[in-house]
Amino acid sequence: MSTVPTSHLSAGEPVLTSDVVGTDFGLPLVRPTRTRQGSRVRVVRSRCRSRGGVVVWFTDGTKTPPLHGRTGWLVAEPGEPAHDVA
């Protein structure tokens, strides 16, 4: 399993996340997962610095709450299907 810190995530990188854990102004929030079981593959759209840390935006319209730049993300293996949010 390969991990990447939040500060080194790049656009287009598939990572494993949790299911939606809440909302922020109507946008679904997700968090990085530590296991492949029960996780979702999401593709990074961008990351930006915010007052509380780094926010990661995904192509399916989800985002993370502000995270520390050293937070680790599991990189999805080729062939794992991306999750689409309805």
Side-chain angles (χ1 to χ4, degrees):
M1 278 191 266
S2 169
T3 60
V4 176
T6 302
S7 59
H8 290 110
L9 284 177
S10 58
E13 191 155 19
V15 294
L16 299 177
T17 68
S18 66
D19 283 328
V20 175
V21 294
T23 61
D24 182 25
F25 296 104
L27 297 172
L29 293 175
V30 297
R31 295 188 182 277
T33 61
R34 296 180 190 261
T35 64
R36 293 191 184 283
Q37 184 177 11
S39 61
R40 305 280 186 219
V41 176
R42 289 190 167 87
V43 178
V44 175
R45 183 177 76 188
S46 64
R47 64 180 166 81
C48 60
R49 297 190 77 178
S50 70
R51 183 173 231 181
V54 178
V55 175
V56 180
W57 292 81
F58 298 99
T59 57
D60 63 359
T62 58
K63 69 174 197 164
T64 65
L67 301 169
H68 194 282
R70 291 182 293 218
T71 301
W73 294 84
L74 289 176
V75 177
E77 293 181 5
E80 287 187 62
H83 175 68
D84 293 325
V85 173

